[in-house]
Amino acid sequence: MAKVLYTDFEGVEDVISKMMDNPQLKKAITRTNMYNFWDNILPSKLKKRSKPYSMLPGGIMVVACENPIVAQELSLHKIMLIKKFEPFAKSMKMRITDLRFDAKKWQMVIED
C-alpha cells in the first residue's frame, strides 16, 4: 500500500486571513465588539434592561429596551451616552451619531 502524504492542507492562520478579507465579516466583528462596550457606558441599573440591536446607516445605533420606561430613561441620557461611546467607536473607526431606543425589539433580543 502506498503512503499518502497530506501536505497541502491550509493552516488555521491562512483560513482566518481569508475570512477576514470578507468586508461583511469584518463589519460584523467590528459591530459585535462595539456592542460589547455597551455595558461599560451604561448606568448599572440599566445594563440588563437594554442591549444594542443593530446599526442603521449614518451611525445610528438601535438599542432594544426591556420596556418603554427603560427606553425613556435612556433617551434622557442620550447625549451623555453618545459622548461616552465616542472613544470606543473611534478606536474601531466607527461613529455613533444617534441612539434609538426601541422596546419592541426586546423580545427579539431575548429569543436569541
Side-chain angles (χ1 to χ4, degrees), residues 34-74:
M34 192 164 64
Y35 293 166
N36 289 334
F37 289 122
W38 182 248
D39 285 345
N40 294 337
I41 67 162
L42 219 52
S44 59
K45 66 181 180 178
L46 298 172
K47 285 183 183 181
K48 293 185 180 182
R49 293 184 163 89
S50 64
K51 216 172 200 180
Y53 181 78
S54 67
M55 290 293 293
L56 299 176
I60 300 168
M61 181 186 286
V62 178
V63 179
C65 300
E66 183 178 52
N67 56 50
I69 296 167
V70 173
Q72 178 65 31
E73 180 76 22
L74 288 172

Side-chain angles (χ1 to χ4, degrees), residues 96-109:
I96 303 294
T97 58
D98 195 14
L99 296 170
R100 291 198 184 152
F101 305 103
D102 191 343
K104 295 174 189 169
K105 305 281 189 215
W106 186 252
Q107 192 60 37
M108 292 179 225
V109 170

Side-chain angles (χ1 to χ4, degrees), residues 7-15 18:
T7 59
D8 59 343
F9 286 121
E10 286 186 77
V12 173
E13 297 86 15
D14 295 331
V15 172
K18 285 180 185 175

